[in-house]
Amino acid sequence: MIASTRGTILWLTGWSMPDTVFDQLRELLPDFHHMSVDYSDADSPEKMLLLTETAAENIRSSDISTGKTRAFRGPLLIGGWSLGGLLALRLAVKGLADGLVLFAATARFTRPKEELDRGWADAYVRHMITGLTKDPQGVETKFRQAMFTEAEWEAGLGKRFPLIGRWATPALIAGLQILRSEEVLSGLPEIKCPILLVHGTEDQICPYNAAAELAAQLPQAELLSIPGSGHAPFLGREDEIAKELRRWWDEQKDNRY
């Protein structure tokens, strides 16, 4: 095994999405070691949270042993998308990350009426949970439709996504329960690591103002805005994102542990 030169990226995917959505990004970043957490079968919010926390703790406390070769995993970057971004922020509050790369992320998904420019109403998420018990395919389909702008749909971006039904229904419900209950806004002052925020300006699921809020409250955050993009700002832009990620991380050498 070739030792990583820039560290490890732990990938945390978005709600209902398989980890394979990051495959192209991983291929473009061979100078990192890549790991991921599969919470598609987690049957409770507690199990989903434990899976991510355990993965980060294990990476930070060990090397990779492969026969006679030992390849140090190096600094730990956590790459989180949407739900995965919220989970990544939670891990950073606990001091379990040396850096974050967040796609379409928010520090709190459900918001009161006066903050709906930064998130969704809790009642809508509760409605999704109820719908999952009756028609999980319909709930996922409707969610997918909101992920892309009209121009992105016309360009065929939505067709690049895997088919729905990759998560067990209990995991879908658990993920939504986390989106309802978890908030990291109060913990942002505890996050000391550098953060790269990648956010589409036309995101209808995690509105752009949620990223602006993060950028304003995190002193080591850099916001990379993707004009005209919806909720999957990396999709179809993997070359650009990989270059920006590598450029940004190389600039953070003084902040590494």
Side-chain angles (χ1 to χ4, degrees), residues 22 51 229 257:
F22 296 126
L51 284 170
S229 174
Y257 287 58

Side-chain angles (χ1 to χ4, degrees), residues 81-82 103-105 144-153 157 161 198-208 224-235 237:
W81 174 32
S82 194
F103 304 105
R144 291 281 185 99
Q145 291 171 344
M147 291 183 62
F148 301 101
T149 66
E150 184 176 342
E152 287 175 328
W153 276 112
L157 209 59
F161 261 30
V198 183
H199 216 104
T201 60
E202 303 301 320
D203 193 335
Q204 298 300 310
I205 293 175
C206 288
Y208 183 78
L224 176 61
S225 304
I226 309 297
S229 174
H231 192 55
F234 58 89
L235 196 66
R237 304 175 181 86

Side-chain angles (χ1 to χ4, degrees), residues 56-244:
E57 288 175 342
N58 288 344
I59 294 170
R60 286 175 63 83
S61 64
S62 66
D63 292 349
I64 305 168
S65 296
T66 56
K68 296 181 180 180
T69 302
R70 292 179 64 81
F72 183 56
R73 289 188 168 114
L76 174 60
L77 272 169
I78 301 179
W81 174 32
S82 194
L83 169 62
L86 183 60
L87 295 172
L89 283 165
R90 181 178 180 273
L91 294 176
V93 170
K94 293 176 175 288
L96 293 174
D98 299 315
L100 301 179
V101 180
L102 304 180
F103 304 105
T106 178
R108 180 165 190 169
F109 187 72
T110 55
R111 302 285 183 139
K113 184 177 180 180
E114 63 273 15
E115 295 180 11
L116 292 182
D117 64 329
R118 282 167 276 175
W120 282 12
D122 183 66
Y124 189 85
V125 182
R126 293 200 313 268
H127 179 72
M128 288 178 68
I129 292 174
T130 300
L132 285 170
T133 65
K134 303 173 182 178
D135 181 17
Q137 183 173 346
V139 173
E140 279 197 68
T141 299
K142 188 173 182 179
F143 180 78
R144 291 281 185 99
Q145 291 171 344
M147 291 183 62
F148 301 101
T149 66
E150 184 176 342
E152 287 175 328
W153 276 112
E154 291 176 354
L157 209 59
K159 294 180 180 179
R160 292 187 50 181
F161 261 30
L163 297 174
I164 62 175
R166 300 298 183 93
W167 282 33
T169 300
L172 292 171
I173 293 173
L176 291 179
Q177 289 172 333
I178 288 174
L179 290 174
R180 286 189 63 205
S181 62
E182 286 294 319
E183 72 86 18
V184 194
L185 281 169
S186 58
L188 294 181
E190 303 300 318
I191 298 178
K192 308 303 181 184
C193 65
I195 300 175
L196 177 63
L197 303 166
V198 183
H199 216 104
T201 60
E202 303 301 320
D203 193 335
Q204 298 300 310
I205 293 175
C206 288
Y208 183 78
N209 280 348
E213 177 181 63
L214 283 171
Q217 297 192 38
L218 292 165
Q220 293 195 68
E222 176 181 330
L223 176 56
L224 176 61
S225 304
I226 309 297
S229 174
H231 192 55
F234 58 89
L235 196 66
R237 304 175 181 86
E238 285 87 353
D239 285 335
E240 172 191 351
I241 299 302
K243 290 176 183 177
E244 288 291 336

